[in-house]
Amino acid sequence: MKRSLIYFDEEDFQNSIDLLEVVNQIYKDSEYETYAICFNNNYGVIDGKFDYLITIQNEEIKNYDLQNITNCIEELHHTYDFDSILIPATYLGRMLAPRLAMRLKVGLVADVTAIEHNDGQVEMVRPAFSGKIFAGIVNKDCKPTMMSVRPNVFVYTTSIIKKTKKINFEPTTVRPTKIRLLETKEKEKIKDIRESEVLISGGGGVIEDFKHLYLLANELNGMVSASRSIVDSGIAPRGIQVGQSGKTVSPKLYIALGIYGSLQHIEGLKNVENIISVNINKDAPICSLSDIVVEGDAIEFIDKLIEKINKNRI
């Protein structure tokens, strides 16, 4: 029976739960048990999804105290001997994963975007060289398999309800933290493109008129995103880039304006319900994935669509 541990990031519930789909794909031909580890909280959202919920109640451990969190997971692994440990590649997870891998003296595959099976071996796929290529990495008999997983790539959809067993683990390795919280500032709330149901996305074909996309986004109550060529040109911030070296998005509607659709860009689109492509090249790769392809000028398309929307509004 394989055992897999998932670190539950209290600031990102859903991406932690979605790691169950990664476990499904890793052990699709084997029996396995799933464990979730949580600190100082009783997460009802986990009930029915994991086989075991491990809670550690200790006020010495703060959410930002990576040293104590690492200590606890290391001790937990020595107790349960996990076959795999999965961590969401959130802000905290990206700091925790390499620290824990060094402590356990194992390799780490960071930012995993796909799981494949080749010749009986599990292959963890991740972008390399700034998203220009994909690397398939195999763990050869090193335990546990450790990985951080890119958010918003995998989706856990099973309707099976499990009888989650709760374990209250009392670690012996917790130490008084050396970290002191000196000041707290409210972070400006900026909407993430991954939260939008409608994305108006621009590529090299609209590089001269990229700001025009915001007009259509406002009409459709959506957000503007961009391909890497737009970001590298300094026209748009990296925070709205879609693709392997950007963000993975899953909107209900994705309108691709002047986007060629390289493999790196397409890999940033997961579970998109509808794609509309507007391009002067109807044979561009993005068009083969689209539900509707409009052959023509993207800016002219924006103007005519806005005109049509306003007419119907009246």
Side-chain angles (χ1 to χ4, degrees):
M1 178 75 73
K2 301 292 185 181
R3 292 177 174 174
S4 183
L5 176 69
I6 293 176
Y7 171 72
F8 211 77
D9 189 336
E10 69 177 42
E11 295 183 357
D12 203 329
F13 288 174
Q14 190 56 50
N15 276 310
S16 299
I17 292 173
D18 284 340
L19 295 189
L20 286 168
E21 176 59 25
V22 184
V23 180
N24 284 342
Q25 294 187 25
I26 294 174
Y27 302 121
K28 64 178 184 177
D29 297 323
S30 306
E31 293 185 358
Y32 64 88
E33 296 175 330
T34 56
Y35 294 71
I37 178 171
C38 305
F39 291 86
N40 296 321
N41 281 286
N42 182 15
Y43 292 103
V45 69
I46 293 179
D47 281 344
K49 293 182 173 63
F50 290 81
D51 294 300
Y52 295 91
L53 167 58
I54 302 174
T55 60
I56 296 178
Q57 304 293 335
N58 191 312
E59 294 303 322
E60 287 284 345
I61 306 173
K62 308 299 181 184
N63 187 43
Y64 48 81
D65 186 358
L66 292 173
Q67 182 173 1
N68 269 324
I69 291 175
T70 302
N71 289 345
C72 291
I73 298 178
E74 179 188 18
E75 185 177 351
L76 196 63
H77 173 65
H78 292 324
T79 301
Y80 288 92
D81 192 27
F82 297 108
D83 294 278
S84 60
I85 298 177
L86 283 65
I87 298 174
T90 55
Y91 292 116
L92 183 65
R94 290 176 188 272
M95 293 186 286
L96 172 63
R99 181 187 290 265
L100 180 60
M102 291 184 66
R103 188 72 66 82
L104 298 178
K105 296 181 174 58
V106 295
L108 169 69
V109 184
D111 218 23
V112 171
T113 59
I115 299 294
E116 297 181 0
H117 290 259
N118 291 314
D119 298 326
Q121 292 184 312
V122 176
E123 191 172 279
M124 295 163 280
V125 181
R126 68 175 304 275
F129 294 100
S130 300
K132 294 179 181 178
I133 66 170
F134 295 100
I137 301 173
V138 174
N139 179 5
K140 294 187 175 181
D141 302 322
C142 183
K143 189 177 177 181
T145 297
M146 270 206 65
M147 69 183 81
S148 63
V149 181
R150 178 177 287 196
N152 213 36
V153 173
F154 296 89
V155 179
Y156 181 68
T157 58
T158 184
S159 58
I160 298 174
I161 299 177
K162 298 182 178 181
K163 293 182 179 180
T164 303
K165 299 176 183 178
K166 297 182 180 179
I167 301 172
N168 183 24
F169 188 74
E170 297 182 1
T172 61
T173 53
V174 176
R175 302 290 181 265
T177 181
K178 297 178 181 179
I179 300 175
R180 296 289 180 267
L181 182 60
L182 302 179
E183 184 180 3
T184 301
K185 290 185 179 180
E186 191 70 24
K187 184 179 179 180
E188 182 183 357
K189 181 61 177 178
I190 301 175
K191 191 175 180 181
D192 195 307
I193 61 172
R194 291 173 292 193
E195 300 172 0
S196 182
E197 294 186 346
V198 178
L199 283 179
I200 313 301
S201 198
V206 295
I207 197 167
E208 299 295 333
D209 299 283
F210 186 76
K211 290 183 179 179
H212 218 68
L213 276 63
Y214 288 93
L215 300 176
L216 182 56
N218 289 336
E219 293 290 340
L220 297 178
N221 194 29
M223 293 184 67
V224 171
S225 57
S227 69
R228 180 172 177 173
S229 62
I230 294 291
V231 174
D232 287 348
S233 298
I235 295 173
R238 194 160 299 278
I240 67 169
Q241 179 183 334
V242 174
Q244 276 293 345
S245 54
K247 293 180 177 179
T248 302
V249 297
S250 305
K252 290 184 177 179
L253 174 61
Y254 188 80
I255 301 181
L257 302 170
I259 292 178
Y260 178 73
S262 66
L263 178 61
Q264 289 77 14
H265 184 81
I266 290 173
E267 279 297 313
L269 303 176
K270 296 293 183 182
N271 304 307
V272 180
E273 291 187 15
N274 298 284
I275 300 177
I276 299 175
S277 296
V278 184
N279 206 301
I280 58 174
N281 177 12
K282 70 179 187 304
D283 296 318
I286 188 71
C287 296
S288 65
L289 300 177
S290 303
D291 301 281
I292 297 175
V293 176
V294 179
E295 185 179 5
D297 180 75
I299 302 304
E300 182 181 356
F301 170 84
I302 291 175
D303 292 337
K304 288 186 175 182
L305 182 54
I306 291 176
E307 182 182 347
K308 185 73 172 178
I309 291 172
N310 289 332
K311 281 184 179 180
N312 290 337
R313 186 174 290 143
I314 298 171

